[in-house]
Amino acid sequence: MKLYTYDESGNSYKVRLLLAFLGIRCDEVVVDLMTDEQHSEAFLSVNPRGEVPALVDGDLVLRDSAAILVYLAGRHGGGWWSADVAEQAAITEWLAFAASWVQYGVFTARAKVAFGIPANGLPADFPGDVLAEARIRGEKSLAILDAHLDGREWLTLGRPTIADIAVFPYIALAPMGHIALTPYAHVQAWIARFRALPGFVPIAGLDDPRYRG
Ligand SMILES: N[C@@H](CCC(=O)N[C@@H](CS)C(=O)NCC(=O)O)C(=O)O
């Protein structure tokens, strides 16, 4: 099994987190987003979308973090996914939240502030105010999440699942995009619980959001 990944990519980090929680080893191929390697001919032959993460397992090629989480959690069990269809739908609701509200909110704010690019399909010189839009979505998603976590330990099913893994990275890294977590006490408590899970591995920026300047 081979994972195409980049250290500072939160979407790649989702997969690295699940692998760490499951205690599974996987070959890693680093795709350097800082030198545009995601658009090299070699990588585009793996993922024509030009994005990490991508997972290759024999003949199977998966090109999206949510798909990879479902595949690995479904195969390796451990309570991160479910065999029950209604429970699968409850988890998928949060995978979709991560791919929409989170990706176009706190993800984009972090990409623009810390890396200077929208990294969500828009060109680096896109004339619109990408950051202002991302902050509105980012703050709204944090408010939604904070209200949901009032009285809950985990996003769904009363246990940590891939729903939490999919939402965690960019929410916890929101301060890198200059979006403060301080108004969201329930989100902060959930982040602390998530970080205490056995096998947790960090990503740069969790404790030092200004490390990129
Ligand atoms: N829907 C995809 C999004 C993946 C994604 O946004 N990848 C970013 C890094 S975190 C990327 O590779 N961007 C490359 C670029 O913007 O050129 C997933 O969840 O895997």
Side-chain angles (χ1 to χ4, degrees), residues 6 8-15 31 33 36 38-39 43 47 49-54 63-68 98-99 103-104 107 110 117-122 170:
Y6 181 67
E8 291 182 278
S9 149
N11 283 311
S12 303
Y13 176 48
K14 295 172 188 177
V15 180
V31 179
L33 302 185
D36 208 38
Q38 72 273 29
H39 295 120
F43 182 65
N47 184 4
R49 300 176 193 176
E51 292 176 331
V52 288
R63 305 170 180 98
D64 182 89
S65 60
I68 299 169
Q103 178 85 6
Y104 294 102
F107 165 102
R110 169 180 178 262
I117 48 166
N120 63 8
L122 295 174
Y170 293 111

Side-chain angles (χ1 to χ4, degrees), residues 62-88:
L62 295 172
R63 305 170 180 98
D64 182 89
S65 60
I68 299 169
L69 291 179
V70 168
Y71 176 66
L72 292 176
R75 262 191 93 164
H76 297 280
W80 295 97
W81 179 238
S82 171
D84 177 85
V85 176
E87 291 191 0
Q88 290 176 358

Side-chain angles (χ1 to χ4, degrees), residues 31-196:
V31 179
D32 187 354
L33 302 185
M34 297 301 113
T35 59
D36 208 38
E37 201 183 341
Q38 72 273 29
H39 295 120
S40 65
E41 212 176 304
F43 182 65
L44 288 174
S45 71
V46 177
N47 184 4
R49 300 176 193 176
E51 292 176 331
V52 288
L55 184 84
V56 178
D57 190 12
D59 289 339
L60 180 71
V61 185
L62 295 172
R63 305 170 180 98
D64 182 89
S65 60
I68 299 169
L69 291 179
V70 168
Y71 176 66
L72 292 176
R75 262 191 93 164
H76 297 280
W80 295 97
W81 179 238
S82 171
D84 177 85
V85 176
E87 291 191 0
Q88 290 176 358
I91 293 172
T92 303
E93 186 178 290
W94 289 102
L95 301 183
F97 182 78
S100 54
W101 279 101
V102 174
Q103 178 85 6
Y104 294 102
V106 283
F107 165 102
T108 304
R110 169 180 178 262
K112 193 74 182 140
V113 169
F115 301 93
I117 48 166
N120 63 8
L122 295 174
D125 58 355
F126 182 73
D129 196 342
V130 174
L131 195 51
E133 206 179 305
R135 284 207 178 117
I136 292 169
R137 290 207 174 95
E139 274 155 17
K140 173 96 192 219
S141 67
L142 279 159
I144 292 170
L145 201 54
D146 203 58
H148 180 77
L149 285 166
D150 185 0
R152 288 185 179 88
E153 292 212 330
W154 304 104
L155 290 185
T156 188
L157 309 186
R159 65 170 192 264
T161 65
I162 56 170
D164 300 277
I165 295 179
V167 174
F168 174 80
Y170 293 111
I171 292 292
L173 293 169
M176 280 184 76
H178 297 177
I179 296 176
L181 292 172
T182 36
Y184 310 103
H186 303 300
V187 170
Q188 286 184 284
W190 167 76
I191 288 172
R193 269 192 298 280
F194 189 94
R195 292 185 64 164

